[in-house]
Amino acid sequence: MSAPAPDRIRVLLLRADNLVKNTVPGGDPEDRLTRARAALQEAALIAAGPGVDPRRGDLVNRRLESLAAMEGADGGLA
């Protein structure tokens, strides 16, 4: 059985945060941001589902906006 929606959203938010924060020498920053965006987009889909507290969707959307702002400020390289 899959994890309940709030738990899955939390895991995806943590994954995205870790991808954004943790750099690896010689790593690909664009790939990290792409994977973070994918995790946040999955979280947004789950948050839009029935019975999920709308505040979770708001949180996910704020994280997506922050990621977009960071990509714009850094030219996609964080």
Side-chain angles (χ1 to χ4, degrees):
M1 179 174 226
S2 63
D7 291 340
R8 183 68 182 145
I9 292 168
R10 181 181 60 79
V11 167
L12 290 165
L13 288 172
L14 287 171
R15 178 184 301 160
D17 286 348
N18 286 335
L19 285 164
V20 169
K21 292 176 189 174
N22 298 328
T23 61
V24 176
D28 183 354
E30 289 183 39
D31 179 58
R32 285 186 310 105
L33 295 179
T34 299
R35 290 185 292 142
R37 178 169 296 287
L40 291 172
Q41 289 171 336
E42 183 180 342
L45 287 174
I46 295 168
V52 178
D53 185 340
R55 292 177 294 181
R56 293 187 188 278
D58 293 341
L59 176 61
V60 173
N61 288 331
R62 284 194 306 270
R63 296 282 180 88
L64 279 165
E65 290 169 4
S66 294
L67 181 61
M70 183 175 55
E71 289 171 331
D74 294 339
L77 302 175

